[in-house]
Structure formats: C-alpha cells, structure tokens
C-alpha cells in the first residue's frame, strides 16, 4: 500500500535534552509525520468515519510533545510513532524530529524513524 497522510512542519515547544539548561527551558522542535494508510474506504464513502483523522492524530501528538520531558529525541520519536500506530488503520509511520537550535553551526539536528504494525 502506498497511500500516505503527511503532516509537515509541526512546530512545538517542549522540554527536551540532557543538559541542565535544556531541562529548564522549552525548546522548539519540528515534527514531520508520514502515515501509511489505506485511503480507499474513505475515498469511496466520503465519510470521516472511514478515514484516519489526521486532526485527531495531530492533537494527540501536540498533547504528547508539549507535556513531555524526554531526554532524547529518539525516545520522543518512538512515543509519537506508537501513538500514531495506536490507530489500527495506520500500517506504518515515519517520524522525523528536528531540534533547530541544537548545534551552533547547524540548521538543525534530528532523527528519522520508521515503525510498522509489527513493531507495536
């Protein structure tokens, strides 16, 4: 299946990092999601009940990230992936997270992971 729902450039603020200052002040993170889903049922019916609701997933990701205090972006990415896969219609998810201010001479630093239903 190659159908995708993409959520690009979700900018959030959260506590993330291992250094003392990172544990005290929220930082910006940029999150991109790509959900592999079968869009055919929703396309046929034109009914939201048959669709993976990206608004609901986005709200859940915002709530998770903004209320978290992860040390590592790897852990944050894993938690986001598991959240997305909690909808049984999501077969695979790709999560990328960037910390724009993490390194002095770099535009950003981040991780990119892919998880499938088999990883749940």
């Amino acid at each position: 299946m190659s159908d995708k729902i993409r959520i690009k450039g979700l900018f959030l603020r959260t506590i993330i990092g291992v250094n003392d200052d990172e544990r005290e002040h929220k930082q910006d993170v940029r999150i991109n999601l790509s959900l592999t889903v079968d869009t055919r049922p929703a396309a046929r019916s034109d009914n939201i009940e048959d669709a993976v609701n990206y608004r609901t997933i986005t709200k859940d990701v915002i709530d998770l990230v903004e209320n978290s205090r992860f040390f590592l972006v790897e852990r944050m990415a894993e938690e986001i992936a598991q959240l997305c896969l909690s909808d049984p219609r999501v077969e695979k998810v790709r999560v990328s997270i960037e910390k724009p201010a993490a390194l002095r001479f770099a535009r950003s630093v981040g991780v990119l992971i892919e998880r499938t239903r088999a990883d749940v």
Side-chain angles (χ1 to χ4, degrees), residues 40-89:
R40 291 175 295 189
R44 286 185 201 114
S45 72
D46 200 25
N47 186 335
I48 189 65
E49 298 299 321
D50 295 325
V52 173
N53 191 326
Y54 54 81
R55 183 179 177 148
T56 301
I57 289 175
T58 301
K59 283 179 154 181
D60 291 344
V61 169
I62 291 169
D63 185 54
L64 171 72
V65 171
E66 289 188 339
N67 294 301
S68 69
R69 295 181 63 86
F70 297 117
F71 287 94
L72 302 175
V73 291
E74 292 88 344
R75 173 68 188 273
M76 181 184 287
E78 187 67 31
E79 293 294 323
I80 292 171
Q82 294 303 315
L83 184 149
C84 293
L85 289 166
S86 68
D87 185 319
R89 297 169 293 187

Side-chain angles (χ1 to χ4, degrees), residues 4-119:
K4 305 269 192 263
I5 294 173
R6 291 190 173 152
I7 301 165
K8 294 182 176 184
L10 188 58
F11 287 97
L12 303 174
R13 293 191 54 75
T14 188
I15 298 292
I16 185 77
V18 296
N19 297 324
D20 290 342
D21 62 316
E22 292 176 310
R23 305 306 302 158
E24 294 176 17
H25 305 289
K26 288 189 173 190
Q27 297 179 67
D28 293 329
V29 291
R30 182 178 329 139
I31 299 170
N32 294 300
L33 303 173
S34 179
L35 311 171
T36 302
V37 301
D38 185 353
T39 62
R40 291 175 295 189
R44 286 185 201 114
S45 72
D46 200 25
N47 186 335
I48 189 65
E49 298 299 321
D50 295 325
V52 173
N53 191 326
Y54 54 81
R55 183 179 177 148
T56 301
I57 289 175
T58 301
K59 283 179 154 181
D60 291 344
V61 169
I62 291 169
D63 185 54
L64 171 72
V65 171
E66 289 188 339
N67 294 301
S68 69
R69 295 181 63 86
F70 297 117
F71 287 94
L72 302 175
V73 291
E74 292 88 344
R75 173 68 188 273
M76 181 184 287
E78 187 67 31
E79 293 294 323
I80 292 171
Q82 294 303 315
L83 184 149
C84 293
L85 289 166
S86 68
D87 185 319
R89 297 169 293 187
V90 176
E91 293 298 320
K92 182 169 75 171
V93 61
R94 174 182 274 186
V95 179
S96 75
I97 301 175
E98 297 178 24
K99 286 175 60 176
L103 289 177
R104 190 167 146 206
F105 296 109
R107 182 172 291 156
S108 69
V109 174
V111 298
L112 170 66
I113 68 169
E114 283 188 5
R115 298 293 182 266
T116 66
R117 299 231 53 80
D119 298 316

